[in-house]
Amino acid sequence: MPADIDFLGEFLVRNFRNTATGCVRGLCREEFDSPGHREYQELIQMLSDEQKEILQKVVKYCVEGALNDTLYRLDAELNKKKARIQILIDSEPLATAGAPSTLHSRLWGPQGWLIRYQQVSGPSK
């Protein structure tokens, strides 16, 4: 595996996980002005602050779980001898067909992608 595999993790966490959790946080805080966002902001404003906090935690849990499951399934595909998916980072293959790949394990833990690349923000409203 290329040394810069963290590029993939940073990309996924910042562009998928942080975007999704930032969106739900912004909806709870009524930060958006587009018609699509306003529709959900109006629905969310019926919730108590405690319910909004629960909503944010649930969305975060679901997004991180989906990201974990996607990486686990991607690992399985990359590990196949005749893998149909290849990922290159700096022109180097992320995994060699038939060789173990453990992308999903890199998501968690004190040095995992989620900890290192999560956006830092203040508490929810």
Side-chain angles (χ1 to χ4, degrees), residues 76-121:
E77 180 60 31
L78 293 172
N79 289 335
K80 290 180 181 178
K81 288 190 184 209
K82 293 187 179 184
R84 295 184 63 197
I85 296 173
Q86 291 183 335
I87 299 174
L88 302 177
I89 297 177
D90 297 330
S91 301
E92 294 182 46
L94 181 71
T96 304
S101 171
T102 57
L103 295 175
H104 71 283
S105 68
R106 295 174 179 268
L107 195 59
W108 307 103
Q111 294 301 314
W113 292 337
L114 288 173
I115 295 292
R116 288 189 289 145
Y117 304 123
Q118 67 183 334
Q119 77 188 56
V120 179
S121 64

Side-chain angles (χ1 to χ4, degrees), residues 44-85:
I44 290 171
Q45 293 318 306
M46 294 181 214
L47 302 177
S48 69
D49 287 345
E50 182 180 327
Q51 290 170 323
K52 289 177 191 176
E53 188 66 33
I54 291 169
L55 174 64
Q56 290 178 71
K57 287 179 180 179
V58 167
V59 168
K60 179 179 178 260
Y61 177 81
C62 290
V63 166
E64 289 176 356
L67 186 53
N68 179 75
D69 290 357
T70 298
L71 288 170
Y72 185 81
R73 289 179 181 100
L74 186 57
D75 273 335
E77 180 60 31
L78 293 172
N79 289 335
K80 290 180 181 178
K81 288 190 184 209
K82 293 187 179 184
R84 295 184 63 197
I85 296 173

